[in-house]
Amino acid sequence: MPTKSSNIQLETSPLIIAGPCAAESEQQLLETAGFLAQTSVKIFRAGIWKPRTNPNTFEGVGEIGLKWLNRVRREYGLKVATEVATPKHVELAQKYDIDVFWIGARTASDPFAVQALADALKGESRPVWLKNPISPEIDLWCGSVERMLRADLSHLGLIHRGFSTYRNEVYRNSPFWQIPLEMRRRYPSLPLLCDPSHMGGNKNLIGELSQQALNLGYDGLMIEAHIHPDQALSDSSQQLRPQQLAKILSKLVVRQSQIQPNELEVLRHKIDELDETLLSMLAERMQLSRQIGQYKKTENITVFQNDRYGDVLQHYTLWAERCGLSKEFAKQLFENIHAESVRQQIEILKEGH
Ligand code: PEP
Ligand code: MN
C-alpha cells in the first residue's frame, strides 16, 4: 500500500511529452522543438545518457546536452525533460535546472538503482515520472513506486512503456494493459502516461496505441519525435517526424470523463493480449515450417511424412489433456496447424519452379 500520495499537477489533459529518443546535436534539438512548440506538446523530452543494450552503439552526448535543453526552453518556452539513471545524473540535471525527470525501464527494474535515485531525489519538487520495469512484474513496479514515495517527492507519476516478453512479433514491448490498470487501482492519485513509442517500437503503431491509452483514461502520452528519424542514432524505426506527430495528435479522441475500466474489460484485454501472443507464436512456428520446407526441397524429401504427423498428434493430445483441455480440441487445433504448415512448405516447393 502506498505510504503517501503524491500527484503531478498536469498542465493539460492529456499531457503530451514529446521529443527525440536522444539529444544528438544542438541543431537537431532546436529544429525538432521548433516544430513541436506549434503543437499541443507541453514538455520536450530528450535522452542525454542512453541506456543501450549494446555498448558499441550511441550512448548519449552527456552533460553538453543539458545546455542544449536549456536553449530549447529559452527559445521555445517548452519545459524540458530528461532521463536520470544515477545520482550523478540527478545532480547534473538539477544543476542545469531541467524541469522534469524520468526514470527509465531498465533503471526501474533494479531496486538498488531505484533506491540510489530516490536518495538523490529526496524532497525534489520537480515532477518525476517512473517508467514500468522491463519485466511484467507488478510488484517490482510497486516496489519502485514505494521507494520514490518515501523520498517525499512532490510530484510523482507513472509511464507505461510495455514489457519485454518472449518474442512478440507485433510490439517491441507487450502492453499487458491489465498491469498499469491495476497500478491505477493501487495508486489512484498517481497520474499515468503511455509511451507508445517504446511499446510499439514502430511508428505505424503509435496512433492506435495512443488512442487505446486515452480510451482507457490515461492522463497523457510520451512520444518520440525526431527531425530526421531515418538518421536517428537510436530507436530510428519508432521516431516520428514532428509533422507526423502533429497529425496523430490532431486525430486523437480525448474522452471527457475518466472511464474506470471494469473487471470485464480488464479480462477482455488479457484475452486479447494472449490471443495476439498466440498468433505471433504461430507465425514464428510457421517460419520454422518454411525452413524445414527449404531443407526438404534441397534434400528432395516429400513434404508430408505420415509417421512424424501421427507422433505429433498423439503427443499433443496427451499434453492438452494434462493442461485441462479436451483431446478433441487439441486434435482439431493440431490438424489445422499441420494443414497450414503443409501449405507453407508446398509454397516453398513451388518457389523458384
Ligand atoms: C527512453 O525513453 O528514451 C527510454 C530509454 O525508454 P525505456 O526506458 O522505456 O526503454
Ligand atoms: Mn528511445
Side-chain angles (χ1 to χ4, degrees), residues 54-331:
N54 181 343
N56 298 319
T57 53
F58 175 65
E59 292 192 293
V61 293
E63 189 172 346
I64 193 167
L66 299 172
K67 291 189 185 151
W68 303 341
L69 281 175
N70 269 273
R71 195 159 161 212
V72 164
R73 180 178 41 212
R74 265 200 320 277
E75 296 200 7
Y76 295 107
L78 290 165
K79 288 196 170 156
V80 291
T82 202
E83 174 173 349
V84 288
T86 67
K88 184 74 192 163
H89 295 167
V90 171
E91 189 191 316
L92 285 167
Q94 286 169 335
K95 180 174 147 200
Y96 284 88
D97 206 19
I98 299 303
D99 302 296
V100 174
F101 304 155
W102 84 83
I103 296 170
R106 287 161 189 79
T107 314
S109 308
D110 174 358
F112 288 122
V114 173
Q115 191 55 54
L117 279 178
D119 295 342
L121 286 163
K122 196 152 186 64
E124 177 61 66
S125 58
R126 298 170 178 90
V128 177
W129 291 94
L130 176 67
K131 287 198 173 192
N132 66 258
I134 299 272
S135 57
E137 293 174 70
I138 193 164
D139 290 337
L140 190 57
W141 199 0
C142 289
S144 296
V145 170
E146 292 299 322
R147 288 176 199 277
M148 286 296 146
L149 290 174
R150 285 188 200 168
D152 290 324
L153 304 178
S154 314
H155 305 293
L156 179 68
L158 304 176
I159 303 180
H160 170 218
R161 50 77 84 195
F163 302 87
S164 177
T165 46
Y166 167 74
R167 195 80 182 264
N168 186 321
E169 302 284 333
V170 180
Y171 302 114
R172 178 177 177 192
N173 291 292
S174 303
F176 291 134
W177 297 100
Q178 72 275 13
I179 296 181
L181 295 179
E182 172 59 16
M183 288 300 278
R184 171 143 262 185
R185 196 188 64 77
R186 292 190 195 180
Y187 301 99
S189 69
L190 298 187
L192 175 64
L193 306 184
C194 177
D195 170 348
S197 307
H198 291 90
M199 188 179 284
N202 175 342
K203 52 173 148 305
N204 298 322
L205 294 171
I206 290 170
E208 66 182 68
L209 285 170
S210 300
Q211 188 60 59
Q212 169 90 313
L214 295 187
N215 293 349
L216 290 170
Y218 280 46
D219 301 290
L221 303 164
M222 179 192 255
I223 305 182
E224 287 189 340
H226 190 292
I227 193 81
H228 300 300
D230 299 345
Q231 294 162 28
L233 299 179
S234 57
D235 288 350
S236 166
S237 56
Q238 70 192 34
Q239 302 208 58
L240 295 164
R241 281 189 293 110
Q243 297 88 334
Q244 293 172 313
L245 174 64
K247 196 161 168 202
I248 288 176
L249 293 177
S250 71
K251 284 192 184 156
L252 289 177
V253 181
V254 180
R255 308 283 165 201
Q256 285 311 317
S257 62
Q258 296 255 320
I259 323 153
Q260 284 302 327
N262 61 31
E263 207 170 315
L264 182 62
E265 248 178 284
V266 173
L267 288 172
R268 281 188 176 145
H269 272 299
K270 249 183 181 168
I271 286 191
D272 287 350
E273 275 168 340
L274 278 177
D275 286 346
E276 284 168 13
T277 306
L278 275 175
L279 281 174
S280 302
M281 292 178 97
L282 281 172
E284 191 178 346
R285 190 225 182 268
M286 292 306 159
Q287 278 297 334
L288 286 175
S289 296
R290 292 177 78 86
Q291 277 178 32
I292 288 178
Q294 193 59 53
Y295 178 83
K296 288 178 179 166
K297 182 178 176 181
T298 318
E299 298 294 319
N300 215 11
I301 305 172
T302 55
V303 165
F304 183 69
Q305 298 200 297
N306 206 13
D307 287 359
R308 161 89 179 138
Y309 180 51
D311 289 351
V312 164
L313 210 53
Q314 202 192 12
H315 175 70
Y316 286 115
T317 44
L318 278 174
W319 188 281
E321 244 189 343
R322 278 191 212 132
C323 300
L325 300 168
S326 76
K327 267 187 170 173
E328 192 45 39
F329 168 73
K331 186 165 171 284

